[in-house]
Amino acid sequence: MGVRDVLQVDPLRYAHEAVSASEERARRRNARRRVDLYCDNSEHIIVADVQRAFRAPEVRERIEPFIPLAASNSIFRRVIDEISRQVYGHVAPDRKVTPDADQMVFQELSTECRLDQRMDLAIRLVNACNTVFLFYRGTERLGLVVDVLTPDMVTVIPDPDDPMRELAVIYDRPYRDRNTGKTRTGYVYWDDTEAFYFNEFGVLLPMPSGDSRVVTDYGRIQMVAVHRRERWGAYWDTTSGADLEGAQR
């Protein structure tokens, strides 16, 4: 059952409020910092830390020329890769499906979507960010595609009966504004009964099919959440790994 059935609210309004909440924006920014550290995009993080730590302009001027040197050794990425490479670093897992007649089809789909490579990436990012999402989608030209989404790209509406599960998932999908030609922020909403696309103002955008809202018949959200460990108290684990992040910064 989707948000409309469980919470008795308009999913579009609820989804827009969820992605616009100040707490959610802060959580996404913090998650993005982890992604940037893993991708060695850390200079802007160090600049902000220096500005917070040193108030005197003359002190900042002395330190700032050396900031790029801080990226010469990424403790964060090295430790994450060391932890993660054990699974796919040598021999890929041997996956079996039943019945046996479906094994060949599964192998073809795995090759088509580069499953080993995507799962290797997912393991590294889940160790960096504590959660990733695997979005499985079919395309006419490429066939099966698996997108790996990090927590800075996703907002979750937790299930009120079990807040550790997703009642709905909203992920970023930018769009080009026809009036200005600029790329703007867009979001795609999924629950197990409907899907729709909206912008940062809460206005519906056309889906690829051309419809504004799509009724789905999957009976489930077309996305798999992968968590580094089981959680309690809240859906997101935003603190595990803060020691490693602090060591890098």
Side-chain angles (χ1 to χ4, degrees):
M1 299 177 69
V3 166
R4 188 185 303 275
D5 303 305
V6 176
L7 300 181
Q8 299 296 305
V9 297
D10 176 23
L12 174 59
R13 179 180 176 183
Y14 202 83
H16 181 244
E17 290 175 351
V19 298
S20 303
S22 58
E23 298 86 354
E24 176 64 5
R25 291 180 180 274
R27 183 200 64 76
R28 279 178 169 239
R29 284 195 300 270
N30 291 337
R32 182 66 205 182
R33 188 171 62 235
R34 295 277 188 98
V35 174
D36 284 345
L37 286 175
Y38 182 73
C39 295
D40 291 336
N41 182 24
S42 61
E43 186 168 335
H44 68 99
I45 298 172
I46 302 168
V47 168
D49 286 341
V50 167
Q51 291 176 347
R52 279 192 296 268
F54 303 101
R55 301 297 179 89
E58 60 272 16
V59 176
R60 290 182 184 176
E61 290 177 3
R62 292 178 182 176
I63 294 176
E64 286 177 352
F66 299 97
I67 285 177
L69 299 178
S72 63
N73 186 14
S74 177
I75 298 172
F76 189 86
R77 180 173 51 80
R78 286 179 60 189
V79 172
I80 293 300
D81 283 346
E82 183 68 23
I83 295 170
S84 306
R85 69 182 178 87
Q86 305 301 324
V87 180
Y88 286 89
H90 303 289
V91 180
D94 186 17
R95 304 182 182 91
K96 299 291 185 181
V97 298
T98 55
D100 292 341
D102 293 336
Q103 185 68 39
M104 183 65 71
V105 176
F106 177 78
Q107 289 299 125
E108 291 175 356
L109 288 172
S110 298
T111 301
E112 184 175 86
C113 70
R114 297 179 294 127
L115 187 60
D116 286 343
Q117 293 93 325
R118 305 310 285 168
M119 292 301 292
D120 179 45
L121 174 64
I123 288 171
R124 296 170 192 271
L125 290 174
V126 79
N127 280 323
C129 304
N130 298 325
T131 298
V132 296
F133 296 82
L134 304 176
F135 182 38
Y136 294 83
R137 56 187 177 88
T139 67
E140 292 185 5
R141 189 168 61 87
L142 300 177
L144 182 63
V145 175
V146 181
D147 296 319
V148 182
L149 308 178
T150 46
D152 58 304
M153 307 163 67
V154 177
T155 293
V156 167
I157 298 177
D159 192 310
D161 292 330
D162 182 0
M164 304 305 109
R165 302 187 189 188
E166 311 83 25
L167 183 62
V169 176
I170 307 158
Y171 67 91
D172 294 356
R173 183 178 178 180
Y175 70 98
R176 184 173 294 278
D177 190 314
R178 293 181 179 179
N179 296 322
T180 64
K182 295 181 179 180
T183 300
R184 304 186 68 92
T185 303
Y187 306 95
V188 178
Y189 168 99
W190 275 90
D191 64 26
D192 57 1
T193 61
E194 67 176 316
F196 53 82
Y197 188 21
F198 64 100
N199 64 18
E200 66 267 46
F201 306 110
V203 177
L204 285 173
L205 299 171
M207 297 283 280
S209 63
D211 301 318
S212 59
R213 301 176 100 128
V214 177
V215 177
T216 66
D217 56 3
Y218 300 113
R220 67 185 66 188
I221 299 174
Q222 197 173 331
M223 195 173 292
V224 178
V226 182
H227 302 284
R228 185 166 174 257
R229 61 181 61 177
E230 185 57 286
R231 297 137 298 127
W232 72 97
Y235 182 86
W236 297 104
D237 176 3
T238 60
T239 57
S240 294
D243 54 346
L244 186 58
E245 180 184 353
Q248 175 64 34
R249 296 171 66 183

